[in-house]
Amino acid sequence: NGAGNAEIRFLKDFRLSLNNTVFWGDYRGTTTYNPWYGQNASQKGHVYKKHDRTLTYTLQQLLNWHRVFGKHDVEVMLGHEYFRYRYYNLNGDKLKTFSYQTTELNGAIQVGNAYSYMNEYNTEGYFGRAQYNYDNRYFGSLSFRRDASSRFDPAHRWGNFWSFGGAWIVTKEPWFKVKGIDMLKLKASFGQQGNDAIGDFYYSDFYNLTAVNGEASLAFSNKGKRDITWETNTNINTGVEFELFNRRLTGSIEYYQRKTTDMLLWFTVPPSLGYGGYYDNVGDMMNRGIEVNLDAELIRTKALTWAMNFNITHNSNKVSYL
């Protein structure tokens, strides 16, 4: 497992960050079963070998510009990220072992099963973010990212996702003079994320290679859907944060709404079609709720602090389209 990073500062306000990680994992395993008793006794001994290898790496480049002038604080970031995953698997077994101490395939005479396969997954994204705050009183942010996933057909591989938000610390206003309120912040945000968690290659038809009369034959096993694409989660949050009575009571109250569109679900079809179903963007779902979180210091002395937390959430969920 390795990681490396470099940072280059130039033109006073610019910073280029390069972050890279690599993981290489190897597993080798042997399983043996004795030839005399138990569920494998009829096989007169059994030895099983497995080897798999996992290789992943992430390459990230971030260009950041940050400037403070007077009470204005502005920061802009542009970035690119690439992720690659490869998995290799090899398995084999033989039966009727020569000795109960056998741990190698050459120590058995009857060939069992032998198979190997490789799996792969890639993502790539371009993104940007702009942040601004004035006098640590007004805050705003805007971001955009464009992501691609190898789990979708090349014609439907890219998705676009936005987010923006803002906050206002009311207690920093000169006119705000309310006794007992140490901090009061109002905030709101809108954001989108993409989801591609359906497994690999489901935009393509699947076939199994089988033997028919000693010859290789392809048997249809799964129907692909070429126009499947990103599932999108759109989140809206509004709320208030507060600190009261010399920070003896702090907390937040938030309203959230999460709408999931183009839900990636398994769509079942009649077995008479020759296959069980396929993945498709077939649903929308809405989550709404309110969450309240309170932290209170009931006792605060030099010798003892007693604090308590209270949290409650009300949530409603509805599938609006399927």
Side-chain angles (χ1 to χ4, degrees):
N1 198 10
N5 61 79
E7 186 174 277
I8 304 170
R9 296 176 180 269
F10 60 99
L11 297 179
K12 186 180 178 180
D13 299 321
F14 287 88
R15 184 176 74 253
L16 176 64
S17 300
L18 308 174
N19 306 298
N20 308 286
T21 61
V22 177
F23 172 80
W24 185 311
D26 269 278
Y27 170 83
R28 292 179 182 269
T30 300
T31 304
T32 61
Y33 299 94
N34 76 79
W36 300 296
Y37 55 86
Q39 61 181 357
N40 295 95
S42 61
Q43 300 172 348
K44 298 182 179 180
H46 191 176
V47 57
Y48 173 83
K49 289 284 191 179
K50 177 180 180 181
H51 176 215
D52 61 26
R53 172 174 294 165
T54 302
L55 173 64
T56 66
Y57 59 83
T58 303
L59 309 176
Q60 184 188 74
Q61 307 88 43
L62 302 175
L63 178 62
N64 194 83
W65 176 79
H66 184 204
R67 172 170 291 186
V68 178
F69 46 97
K71 296 183 178 181
H72 303 274
D73 189 330
V74 183
E75 185 173 1
V76 179
M77 182 269 288
L78 298 176
H80 168 260
E81 187 172 71
Y82 178 80
F83 171 78
R84 181 172 181 171
Y85 166 87
R86 293 290 183 275
Y87 176 76
Y88 306 87
N89 183 280
L90 174 64
N91 295 269
D93 69 299
K94 294 179 76 173
L95 296 82
K96 297 183 179 179
T97 58
F98 172 75
S99 166
Y100 72 93
Q101 294 177 324
T102 295
T103 59
E104 300 297 336
L105 296 178
N106 281 357
I109 60 173
Q110 181 178 324
V111 176
N113 295 306
Y115 61 94
S116 68
Y117 64 91
M118 187 270 284
N119 207 359
E120 58 183 347
Y121 171 54
N122 293 67
T123 61
E124 185 168 17
Y126 298 88
F127 46 90
R129 182 187 66 203
Q131 293 180 306
Y132 170 79
N133 88 72
Y134 175 77
D135 196 24
N136 286 318
R137 189 190 317 170
Y138 309 109
F139 302 85
S141 66
L142 173 68
S143 70
F144 170 79
R145 62 181 299 136
R146 179 170 171 80
D147 290 314
S149 170
S150 65
R151 288 174 173 167
F152 306 124
D153 183 81
H156 304 279
R157 189 156 286 176
W158 291 89
N160 302 318
F161 308 101
W162 292 87
S163 70
F164 57 85
W168 174 29
I169 301 181
V170 183
T171 45
K172 289 197 173 183
E173 297 291 348
W175 48 263
F176 189 89
K177 305 291 183 182
V178 178
K179 189 176 181 181
I181 301 179
D182 306 312
M183 192 279 293
L184 178 65
K185 178 196 286 188
L186 306 180
K187 58 183 182 179
S189 65
F190 168 93
Q192 293 180 322
Q193 302 87 35
N195 176 30
D196 65 347
I198 60 170
D200 299 310
F201 309 119
Y202 279 105
Y203 61 87
S204 298
D205 292 343
F206 280 54
Y207 293 85
N208 290 329
L209 181 63
T210 60
V212 177
N213 295 326
E215 300 294 333
S217 175
L218 290 177
F220 182 76
S221 63
N222 188 72
K223 179 67 176 174
K225 192 74 163 54
R226 301 192 70 87
D227 59 354
I228 55 175
T229 189
W230 290 91
E231 174 183 292
T232 301
N233 297 312
T234 301
N235 299 277
I236 298 175
N237 287 74
T238 60
V240 56
E241 296 179 14
F242 52 85
E243 298 175 358
L244 309 176
F245 314 121
N246 196 25
R247 302 195 77 252
R248 296 291 290 268
L249 177 64
T250 64
S252 63
I253 302 173
E254 294 193 28
Y255 168 80
Y256 60 88
Q257 173 180 295
R258 174 172 178 164
K259 184 176 182 180
T260 304
T261 54
D262 296 326
M263 290 171 60
L264 289 167
L265 296 172
W266 181 257
F267 187 78
T268 303
V269 299
S272 58
L273 293 179
Y275 55 94
Y278 54 87
Y279 275 105
D280 201 359
N281 301 99
V282 295
D284 295 344
M285 183 172 62
M286 179 73 77
N287 273 286
R288 291 190 179 98
I290 297 176
E291 182 172 11
V292 178
N293 186 76
L294 299 175
D295 290 285
E297 288 191 2
L298 303 181
I299 299 177
R300 182 198 292 172
T301 67
K302 292 182 179 180
L304 175 66
T305 299
W306 179 21
M308 295 188 67
N309 171 266
F310 172 81
N311 179 276
I312 188 171
T313 302
H314 173 75
N315 181 74
S316 66
N317 176 274
K318 181 179 181 180
V319 176
S320 54
Y321 168 74
L322 189 65

